[in-house]
Amino acid sequence: MYMDVKIKLNGKLIIDSVDQDMVLLDFCRKHNCFSVKRGCESGNCGLCTVLLDGKPVLSCSMPIGRADGRAVDTLEGLEEEAKQFTGFFAAQGADQCGFCNPGFVMNTIALLRENPDPTDDEIRAYLAGNLCRCSGYEGQLRGIRNFLDQRRKRFPYVGKMSFIIGKEQIVMLVEHSNLYGGRTDINSKFVKRIIFHNFLQSVTPENPDNI
């Protein structure tokens, strides 16, 4: 039997009639998102990771009906965000055959959005579901750690903060250089700029749409 689905794939709304037994992995590949790899097909290797409404899921075990009406992002739609740290993976020899890389990259994007300054243990825990036959996983850890260290040198911050926009809790890093008088209250008009989801954006109380 077939069913109609509406899925926003990498920002583009796709309306399709698909087999009701289809999984999200096959839908993505049907629509030319070949970064979504077919691996174990049992939800154990992490190669098929995509973001569903911003959260990482294993597309090989996600029935297509559960993605109906939702937003799906694959590496094809997140290349600019991924470019920030993929070079650090390569520098540590973590890419090798490359087959598992898209899954690692997708989970790293999700990790850094959720926790902009993770510890090594937090990185290991977040990436634990990604299998790699080539490396001992230390290359991926070193790559992320080097990226975070370089970012910290460029943008020194005084700490993490969290606040609510609508229904979403946002975690951010506040830059020391953009705080006046040492104040770190997010409601303060003195907060001029933040590192938000790893991108620099201008934030002012008079222009909240910039957040």
Side-chain angles (χ1 to χ4, degrees):
M1 295 182 62
Y2 284 80
M3 62 181 293
D4 293 331
V5 295
K6 296 180 180 179
I7 295 175
K8 185 174 287 187
L9 182 60
N10 294 324
K12 179 181 179 181
L13 181 62
I14 295 178
I15 302 174
D16 198 359
S17 181
V18 299
D19 192 309
Q20 64 180 7
D21 293 327
M22 176 181 274
V23 294
L24 184 56
L25 164 65
D26 293 320
F27 180 87
C28 291
R29 293 183 65 84
K30 177 183 179 182
H31 292 283
N32 301 314
C33 294
F34 297 114
S35 69
V36 187
K37 302 298 186 184
R38 190 182 305 279
C40 66
E41 298 190 80
S42 59
N44 290 307
C45 71
L47 269 67
C48 65
T49 300
V50 301
L51 301 187
L52 181 66
D53 291 338
K55 303 296 183 181
V57 299
L58 299 171
S59 61
C60 74
S61 57
M62 173 67 64
I64 193 63
R66 291 182 59 187
D68 187 25
R70 303 172 73 178
V72 176
D73 291 298
T74 71
L75 188 54
E76 283 82 359
L78 299 173
E79 289 183 1
E80 289 303 314
E81 193 167 351
K83 282 180 182 178
Q84 298 178 84
F85 58 82
T86 49
F88 291 87
F89 276 8
Q92 294 299 323
D95 51 352
Q96 298 203 22
C97 83
F99 195 67
C100 67
N101 271 13
F104 270 107
V105 170
M106 293 301 293
N107 271 312
T108 302
I109 288 173
L111 165 65
L112 296 178
R113 286 180 175 184
E114 180 179 317
N115 184 355
D117 191 28
T119 65
D120 286 359
D121 285 343
E122 288 171 333
I123 295 171
R124 290 189 182 97
Y126 212 99
L127 301 183
N130 290 82
L131 301 185
C132 175
R133 291 182 175 181
C134 299
S135 72
Y137 302 99
E138 289 302 309
Q140 287 87 350
L141 174 61
R142 290 195 305 270
I144 296 173
R145 177 52 53 206
N146 287 350
F147 164 69
L148 294 173
D149 290 344
Q150 288 296 317
R151 187 178 65 181
R152 188 176 296 111
K153 290 177 182 179
R154 292 179 60 200
F155 307 115
Y157 63 92
V158 297
K160 299 179 187 177
M161 288 185 178
S162 63
F163 57 100
I164 303 296
I165 297 179
K167 295 181 179 180
E168 184 178 4
Q169 183 177 17
I170 304 299
V171 177
M172 68 176 190
L173 305 179
V174 180
E175 291 183 68
H176 178 73
S177 60
N178 289 297
L179 294 176
Y180 293 84
R183 297 187 61 175
T184 57
D185 179 4
I186 186 56
N187 295 315
S188 169
K189 65 181 179 180
F190 299 110
V191 176
K192 184 179 180 183
R193 191 169 63 173
I194 63 174
I195 299 178
F196 174 63
H197 285 178
N198 307 326
F199 291 97
L200 290 177
Q201 298 185 2
S202 176
V203 178
T204 63
E206 296 77 20
N207 192 13
D209 290 338
N210 281 359
I211 295 180

